[in-house]
Structure formats: structure tokens, C-alpha cells
Amino acid sequence: MTSGIPAEDWIAHHARFAPSSEAAHDLASGRRFTYAEMDRRVSCAALWLSDAFAVQPGDRIAVLSMNDTDVFELQFACRRLGAIFLPLNWRLAVPELEFICKDATPVVLVHGDEFTDAALQVAKLASVPHTANLANGKPSAYETGLAKASGTLAPPALDLADTWTVMYTSGTTGRPKGARITYQMCVFNSVHCAMTVGLTASTRNLVFLPTFHTGGLNVYANPTFHTGGCNVVLRSFDPGRFLALMTDKELGLTDLLGVPTNFLMLAQEPGFAAADLSHIRSMGVGGAASPLSLLETFGRKGIALRQGWGMTETGPMGLFLSADKAMAKIGSSGLPPMYVRLKICDPDGDPVRQGETGELMIKGPNVTPGYWNRPEANRTSFTADGWFHTGDAARQDEDGYYYIVDRWKDMFISGGENVYPVEVENVIYQLDGVLENAVVGVPHEKWGEIGRAFVVLKPGANLDEGAVIEHCGTQLARFKVPKEVRFLDELPHNATGKVLKHQLPRT
Ligand code: ADP
């Protein structure tokens, strides 16, 4: 299927309109590129990929790298070749990367220097014909390739319906699935981000979520390129550095997006209370449920953490809460942006009554056309009339605002009653000494399942199991109160910073 609308080359466009505007700033190497310079490097990268590896339209280019401006260049080089960008999660083990590469069959694996061993093993196991290193601006196959690139390239005509990226998400089956991300999804997501967040050509966005994940790549980084702003790229997240960058007036950051864990850690930094963050126009939070106490902590500092909801498969932005409603509708993920359609359905697929919880369904030009090589998942993930099953439980309030209740699969049933762990976690977060917590359902002889809470305390805090259970008992119905509390030094997180609940012990 085609849209009949060409996929514009964003970097080439800005190189014509605003060649001397800054496009990207790589913090680790100190390299800064205008749109004209980035445009030239993207062209050289495309020439190099084409000359060295004979990349053809539709071929996959795998990239295994920490955050680096080179990664964005490779993404846009894929556009110039009609190739498909395949960002890989560097936290994965070799067998997991092997699975993805066997599934997506890239022609070349470009890797950061620090991942050379893993990249060579994966290339051998998955029969990837070529590998090449990049080294954050230092001598590498990538820099040599760019320096030697010559000639001109005639980019193929591409349609908005064509696939730009295949991004692997964990999904429910356990085996990762590659979501096809089209140019259309990126354009509509960029329009939605610009309209809701207020991204402009003067945006300076800090990219610290990993760029192999939709959080690092598609919110707000790609929308910032779309609008002609500048992406300031941090190699990986570190809370102390994060605060220092946010308060650096010369760097002049205006926007950033994180997951709740990033902001929980930031709030623990010694300098946080006194830090002046007033120049930052928008701080977005999404990717997982935000504890209400976190939103309140930032609210007291005069910062409206703007909630958004989305998935790799949905562009990602599917809901957004505006700053003026951040406190009035605290806990809500907001309203759908302009071109997104949503409905909440019961298990039979019928819309629930307003206020009731059901599965969130989504449709629109921001939604994936399907997964790479997964006919079965493509059949079950969509209804016959094209609605995508999000797998999230949601409800709407009387004003139409959406609340993500939890993931369906995280819900458990205790004594016949549904328990959504996020609600319990929010109550545990009310306790002063709690840094982070996660609740899961575990099997139980009498109740079927019971809640088990995993709690990480703030340094010096003194809470025991009894105190947590007692507090929950004052705020929640009996069946929701966790029967067990375990204290951990930290919770398992994925590379984005989301809590990996399936790794918490159930026995
Ligand atoms: P993964 O499943 O690997 O984390 P995604 O990043 O695509 O991949 O995750 C999307 C999921 O993240 C959503 O389906 C939802 O469960 C969760 N999520 C995203 N934003 C929010 C939010 N604001 N509140 C609660 N959950 C969220």
C-alpha cells in the first residue's frame, strides 16, 4: 500500500532552509554539527554504505551503539538509500542479538568500539556478511568511510508508507518482535510532538534514553530533527550528570523526556532541591506509570512533569497531558493528539461505559502496519477493522481524560478480585522512605494470587514489612494489600530504565 505522499528527507530539507542552524551536539566527543554539516555526513555515510557493502533499497542496516550523533546519521543515511534502520539494544546478550539478526537479516552490523566482541560473535552466528566499527568521532571504519566517500547519490523515491526502521520490542510472547516503523508514523508522531510539547526550531532536546528504544529515538529526538531543532546527545543516563546538564545555562536545554525512574533518581540528587530548572520548557515523562508522589514532588518545585503514553508500535505518542492540566488531572496520561483515535473495549471487543476499565485500542496514521516476519502476531494484534490491541488496561474520566491503569498482563486476581499493581505501588510510594517499589502477583493456595511488594529504600530510611502492610491497609481494600514485602538494594531495570517485573522472584 502507498500513501501517494513522498517521504521527505528531513536533514536535506533543513540544510536548504537553515544550513547554519545547529542540528546535533555530541556531548561525549564535544562534536557539534549544523544542518549543512550533518547533511554532508549523512550523504557520505550513505555513499560509504553503498560502496563498501553494496546496500540496496530495503536492506537492513544494524547499528549497535550507545547514544552518539553517528547513530542519527546512520538512520538518515538509511533514508537516503531506501534502506531500513535496525537499532540494536546493547544491553542484550549475544544469543538475543543473534535471534534478532537472524530474524531481520541485516547486510551490515555497524557497532560502537566497546561492542566489538559481541558484534563479531553475533555477525558470525547470524551470518551477517559485514561489520564495521564507529568510535564516537575517533578513528574508525565509519570515519574512514565517510572521509573517503566520493561521488553523488540519487536517493530513491520513497513513499510515506515505506518502512524506515525496524525496532524490536519485548512484546508479550517473550521473543522480541520487530515493529515496522514507517515514515508516515514518524511524520505524524513529529507533528503530534510539535503540537503538544511545543517543539520548534529553537528546541534543544537532551537525548539520554537509549536511541535503540522508541523513547530515545522517536520522542523527542526525531521530532526535534523534523522541526529543525537541535538534539544534544548524552551517551547514557547518569543522574548526577543529568542534573548538571539541566542546570547548565550555556548548554541551554529546552526540552527532555524520561521514564519515571530517571526522575525518581534525579529527585534524590543532593543539588535537586536548589536547582533552577526554570529555563526548561518541557519535561516529559512516559513509558511506564509515574508514581503520583513523583509528579507531586516536581509539582511542588513548580515543574509540571508532562505525562505521555505510547508504544513502539504507535509512533509512539498516543496520549499527552498538557502542562496546564498536569496537576488538575494528576495521574492521567491526557488526551489523544490530533490524528490518534482511541477506544476502550471489554474482552468481547465492545466499548466499555465511560469510567469502566477495559483494553485500550488505537488506530491512526501513527500506528505500525505490523511486525517484521510475524504473520501470527499481525493477525492477533489487530482487529478486522484495523484497531491495534495495546495490551494496556485504561479508563476515561468524566472529562474524557485517559488513565493507564496497568498492563493487562501485570494485573493479578486475589480472592476473585482484580488487582492492578500500579494502584498499590502508588500507595507504597506515599511512604517517605521509599525510593522505588514494584508489586507483582504470586501464586497462593487460598487466594489464588496475592500481592508481593518489592521495595527499595532511600539511604538511611527505616521501614519494615509491617509498616508497609499497615500503611497499605489504611488506604486500600483488603484484597489489594500486599501480603508480603521484600526489601531489595535495587529493582531490575531495562536499558530504558523501566522496571523488569518478570525478573522479580515469584517463589
Ligand atoms: P516495552 O514493552 O519493551 O517496554 P514499549 O516502550 O513500546 O516497549 O512499551 C510500551 C508500554 O509502556 C505501553 O504498552 C505501556 O504498558 C507502558 N507505558 C507507556 N507509557 C505509559 C504511561 N504513561 N503510563 C503507564 N504505562 C505506560
Side-chain angles (χ1 to χ4, degrees), residues 458-482:
K458 291 179 187 164
N462 194 9
L463 273 177
D464 60 14
E465 179 173 39
V468 175
I469 292 179
E470 192 189 317
H471 173 69
C472 290
T474 65
Q475 307 289 312
L476 294 166
R478 287 260 303 271
F479 67 91
K480 296 181 189 170
V481 175

Side-chain angles (χ1 to χ4, degrees), residues 169-170 213 287-289 307-312 333 392 404 407 498:
T169 165
S170 44
H213 187 271
Q307 274 238 61
W309 167 91
M311 304 174 71
T312 307
S333 290
D392 284 336
I404 303 298
R407 295 195 187 215
K498 297 197 206 186

Side-chain angles (χ1 to χ4, degrees), residues 290-297 307 327 330-332 426 429-430:
S290 281
L292 292 181
S293 57
L294 173 73
L295 303 173
E296 284 159 1
T297 301
Q307 274 238 61
M327 293 324 268
I330 193 162
S332 168
N426 265 321
Y429 273 119
Q430 291 168 351

Side-chain angles (χ1 to χ4, degrees), residues 247-286:
T247 49
D248 182 341
K249 294 265 161 61
E250 221 167 284
L251 189 61
L253 297 173
T254 60
D255 298 83
L256 52 94
L257 173 102
V259 296
T261 305
N262 300 133
F263 295 108
L264 285 168
M265 290 167 97
L266 178 70
Q268 292 309 304
E269 282 300 305
F272 175 72
D276 175 10
L277 305 174
S278 55
H279 57 290
I280 304 211
R281 290 196 302 236
S282 164
M283 279 190 224
V285 61

